[in-house]
Amino acid sequence: DNLAVKINRLTLTFQPLGKFKTRRSHPRHLWNPPPVVVCLENLEYISVTETGHPGTPEEVWSHNDLWAQHRARSQGNGAGRRRGQNVSWGQHRSYVIYKRLAMV
């Protein structure tokens, strides 16, 4: 995944659901606060290396390959196995993808 997305405008609106009560308990003293609107312009959403710098797909994914090699070496001597348990590390593998959201 070396996807780069440029966003012209992103508008976020936050508003609580329901009504807030003031200190008075009379029904007409219910208050609905106004929404908070946040508008972000010229955003860039890109894949980065683990140090936070943009890179080629090979650079962006290199930390996953190094981690897999380290894991294979450390599990090669039978470490991590319990008595009577056969662990196959090739069945499940997690990947980490670093992304950066920045205003340009």
Side-chain angles (χ1 to χ4, degrees):
D1 175 12
N2 200 28
L3 186 65
V5 178
K6 293 192 180 198
I7 303 167
N8 288 334
R9 178 179 291 162
L10 177 67
T11 304
L12 303 171
T13 304
F14 301 99
Q15 184 171 17
L17 299 175
K19 297 185 181 284
F20 285 100
K21 291 185 178 180
T22 60
R23 293 184 183 255
R24 298 181 186 173
S25 61
H26 196 273
R28 71 175 183 209
H29 293 289
L30 294 176
W31 176 66
N32 217 5
V36 175
V37 179
V38 177
C39 186
L40 304 170
E41 294 183 355
N42 299 324
L43 296 174
E44 184 178 49
Y45 184 70
I46 59 172
S47 297
V48 294
T49 63
E50 57 188 332
T51 58
H53 301 293
T56 65
E58 292 78 21
E59 292 170 338
V60 169
W61 282 89
S62 66
H63 64 277
N64 285 316
D65 294 335
L66 292 174
W67 184 78
Q69 290 171 6
H70 172 70
R71 188 175 183 187
R73 277 195 307 268
S74 66
Q75 300 303 324
N77 60 4
R81 291 186 182 178
R82 295 184 182 148
R83 186 178 300 178
Q85 183 181 22
N86 186 7
V87 179
S88 174
W89 292 105
Q91 293 176 356
H92 181 281
R93 186 168 171 191
S94 298
Y95 294 98
V96 177
I97 302 173
Y98 295 100
K99 297 287 189 175
R100 182 174 71 188
L101 180 64
M103 294 180 73
V104 290

